[in-house]
């Protein structure tokens, strides 16, 4: 079994654990779901953004890397033992925290009658949110963090996690982690737009769904004639928000249901030093005004020359940025049984790809594959092993599905 902590709330953690690629600050929730008749209700289902994002990261992590997926599971007095056993089969770095004085965070999910079958949600027990203080040293040193929160809380979490991370890492070993921000839908509206734009420079990826993105700009993200998801609305909103901060390097990855996802990132200039080029030593400058007879060409050349007298130039490479739609894996609606947690699972798969140095487009493909497993059933997919010992989920290897999907593109 992969390493995991099993501590009382507020206890100490063992920092002697393998490096962590992914950590989520999403909550663990136990779900009850009431479907529209004739589908029967289900009880005590693994739920919550933390659970599903950890699932996404785990789906894209073979058994040898399962312990690089970190998350916190808060267990109350009513926690079903069967769920602990299920989580243990994933062999992640799950930090269990017991608090017999409270109930586990629980939620009710229901569907409204109508063509679109809108989903309703409410908490049925008090929720327990996570902060940077809830992360042990091993989790604080993770390569990527998934945050699901309001814009203002995102800013607080990034600064808090960064400060705590610096405190537990040697100065010469410190690296900047990848922050993936998932805005909460309740606070996606025009009044929060300024807070949103202030948040963007602090994160690496902002990933709302199409409705949440449009809501920041006062829209609904739908085609007014058909009521379908509007790809034009998604593209225009991303263009507007990216243009507001053209020098920043964050990305938008907008999850858009059956349309797939849209990846957008500003371009810019990348300087690439020619192989073998020497770094120019800074010249001593003589301060004073330019004279009418100053030879500007010689002056500038002198500033750029190395010790060998050769101008130390840099090749400038133009990065065109990214504007790309990536289709959903499942093109047959019949394959989608329950979309619950699909977006969170997407983000876990995407985050762990970024933590392993994949580019943003490839990472979005990883996220699409992870999400495809989450929506094929109610609750999480089934983990097993094939006859040759390969790990499968719902009878399929995620890496095999990834290769097949990439061949389609």
């Amino acid at each position: 079994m992969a390493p995991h902590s099993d501590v009382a709330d507020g206890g100490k953690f063992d920092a002697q654990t393998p490096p962590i690629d992914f950590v989520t600050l999403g909550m663990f929730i136990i779900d009850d779901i009431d479907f529209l008749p004739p589908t029967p209700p289900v009880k005590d289902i693994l739920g919550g953004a933390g659970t599903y994002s950890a699932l996404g990261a785990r789906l894209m992590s073979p058994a040898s890397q399962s312990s690089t997926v970190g998350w916190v599971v808060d267990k109350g007095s009513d926690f079903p033992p069967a769920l602990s056993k299920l989580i243990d089969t994933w062999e992640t770095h799950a930090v269990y925290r017991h608090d017999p004085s409270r109930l586990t965070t629980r939620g009710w999910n229901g569907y409204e009658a109508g063509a679109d079958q809108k989903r309703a949600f409410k908490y049925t027990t008090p929720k327990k949110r996570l902060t940077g203080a809830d992360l042990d040293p091993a989790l604080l040193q993770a390569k990527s963090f998934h945050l699901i929160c309001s814009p203002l809380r995102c800013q607080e979490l990034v600064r808090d996690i960064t400060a705590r991370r610096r405190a537990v890492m040697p100065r010469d070993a410190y690296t900047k982690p990848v922050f993936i921000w998932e805005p909460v839908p309740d606070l996606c509206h025009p009044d929060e737009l300024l807070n949103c734009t202030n948040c963007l420079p602090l994160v690496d990826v902002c990933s709302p769904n199409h409705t949440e993105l449009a809501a920041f700009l006062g829209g609904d993200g739908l085609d007014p004639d058909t009521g379908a998801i509007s790809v034009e609305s998604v593209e225009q909103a991303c263009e507007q928000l990216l243009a507001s901060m053209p020098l920043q390097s964050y990305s938008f990855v907008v999850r858009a249901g059956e349309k797939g996802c849209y990846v957008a990132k500003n371009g810019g200039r990348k300087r690439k030093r020619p192989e073998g080029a020497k770094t120019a030593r800074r010249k001593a400058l003589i301060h004073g005004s330019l004279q009418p007879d100053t030879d500007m060409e010689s002056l500038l050349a002198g500033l750029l020359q190395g010790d060998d007298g050769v101008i130390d130039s840099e090749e400038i490479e133009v990065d065109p940025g990214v504007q790309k739609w990536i289709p959903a894996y499942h093109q047959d609606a019949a394959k989608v049984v329950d979309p619950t947690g699909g977006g969170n699972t997407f983000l876990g798969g995407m985050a762990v790809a970024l933590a392993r140095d994949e580019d943003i487009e490839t990472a979005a493909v990883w996220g699409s594959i992870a999400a495809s497993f989450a929506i094929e059933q109610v609750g999480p997919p089934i983990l097993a092993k094939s006859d040759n010992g390969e790990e499968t989920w719902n009878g399929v290897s995620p890496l095999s599905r990834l290769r097949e999907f990439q061949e389609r593109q």
Side-chain angles (χ1 to χ4, degrees):
M1 181 179 295
H4 71 270
S5 300
D6 201 346
V7 299
D9 193 9
K12 294 183 178 180
F13 295 86
D14 178 7
Q16 301 303 314
T17 55
I20 306 295
D21 285 341
F22 169 84
V23 166
T24 177
L25 273 81
M27 288 188 294
F28 176 89
I29 301 175
I30 299 176
D31 278 340
D32 293 339
I33 307 175
D34 287 340
F35 295 100
L36 293 174
T39 305
V42 293
K43 307 293 182 184
D44 287 353
I45 299 295
L46 283 179
T51 304
Y52 274 99
S53 60
L55 170 65
R58 175 62 178 90
L59 279 160
M60 305 310 294
S61 301
S64 61
Q65 295 178 297
S66 64
S67 64
T68 68
V69 177
W71 55 311
V72 176
V73 179
D74 281 309
K75 302 170 67 173
S77 59
D78 60 337
F79 197 91
L83 294 188
S84 293
K85 293 180 180 178
L86 174 58
I87 293 170
D88 286 345
T89 65
W90 297 357
E91 297 187 319
T92 58
H93 181 93
V95 177
Y96 291 112
R97 303 195 304 179
H98 300 271
D99 185 352
S101 68
R102 65 181 292 271
L103 296 175
T104 308
T105 303
R106 288 179 175 267
W108 171 86
N109 299 263
Y111 289 87
E112 299 176 6
D116 53 0
Q117 295 188 13
K118 290 183 179 179
R119 185 164 187 154
F121 174 83
K122 65 179 180 181
Y123 290 102
T124 56
T125 63
K127 61 184 180 180
K128 186 174 179 63
R129 297 195 307 183
L130 299 178
T131 69
D134 295 308
L135 305 181
D136 70 338
L139 296 182
L140 283 169
Q141 296 180 66
K143 295 179 181 177
S144 66
F145 293 89
H146 165 242
L147 313 176
I148 175 168
C149 52
S150 69
L152 286 177
R153 187 162 186 263
C154 178
Q155 296 173 48
E156 294 171 1
L157 285 173
V158 169
R159 294 187 177 105
D160 183 38
I161 291 170
T162 299
R164 293 176 183 276
R165 179 184 178 87
R166 290 186 182 279
V168 300
M169 295 184 72
R171 180 176 296 181
D172 58 354
Y174 181 84
T175 56
K176 182 182 180 298
V178 176
F179 285 106
I180 293 92
W181 174 41
E182 179 182 0
V184 289
D186 292 350
L187 288 174
C188 292
H189 52 73
D191 291 345
E192 287 289 319
L193 180 58
L194 179 60
N195 290 331
C196 173
T197 56
N198 288 338
C199 186
L200 293 175
L202 301 178
V203 301
D204 297 275
V205 181
C206 175
S207 184
N209 64 27
H210 64 282
T211 301
E212 294 156 357
L213 175 66
F216 274 123
L217 301 174
D220 59 12
L222 303 178
D223 186 304
D225 297 324
T226 66
I229 296 171
S230 170
V231 297
E232 291 80 8
S233 172
V234 171
E235 293 170 2
Q236 290 170 5
C238 286
E239 182 179 2
Q240 181 175 341
L241 288 170
L242 287 171
S244 69
M245 294 187 179
L247 300 182
Q248 299 296 334
S249 61
Y250 57 86
S251 302
F252 276 99
V253 180
V254 184
R255 296 163 283 116
E258 69 275 9
K259 300 289 187 182
C261 69
Y262 182 64
V263 181
K265 181 179 181 180
N266 281 330
R269 297 191 304 172
K270 296 189 294 184
R271 294 186 178 273
K272 182 179 180 182
R273 186 176 300 278
E275 187 175 351
K278 296 180 179 179
T279 302
R281 182 178 299 171
R282 184 178 295 275
K283 300 288 184 178
L285 301 180
I286 300 175
H287 296 278
S289 303
L290 294 175
Q291 302 300 316
D293 59 348
T294 299
D295 185 343
M296 294 299 295
E297 184 176 354
S298 298
L299 174 63
L300 293 175
L303 294 176
L304 293 173
Q305 283 176 352
D307 293 336
D308 55 3
V310 177
I311 292 179
D312 187 22
S313 62
E314 292 181 338
E315 179 183 345
I316 296 179
E317 207 177 299
V318 177
D319 177 3
V322 180
Q323 301 88 34
K324 183 176 181 178
W325 279 97
I326 295 173
Y329 176 80
H330 287 306
Q331 294 297 305
D332 182 357
K335 299 287 188 180
V336 181
V337 175
D338 183 8
T340 304
N344 307 131
T345 309
F346 176 100
L347 293 175
M350 181 179 71
V352 81
L354 293 172
R356 294 170 189 161
D357 298 323
E358 299 290 348
D359 60 47
I360 188 63
E361 294 171 71
T362 303
V365 171
W366 282 39
S368 298
I369 294 303
S372 73
F373 286 94
I375 62 180
E376 292 176 343
Q377 68 288 305
V378 176
I382 303 301
L383 172 62
K385 285 191 176 180
S386 63
D387 293 338
N388 63 5
E390 184 180 24
E391 198 171 72
T392 64
W393 297 78
N394 290 349
V396 180
S397 161
L399 298 184
S400 295
R401 181 173 286 187
L402 173 64
R403 287 191 292 268
E404 179 255 315
F405 186 56
Q406 288 174 323
E407 290 171 0
R408 279 197 225 163
Q409 307 307 305

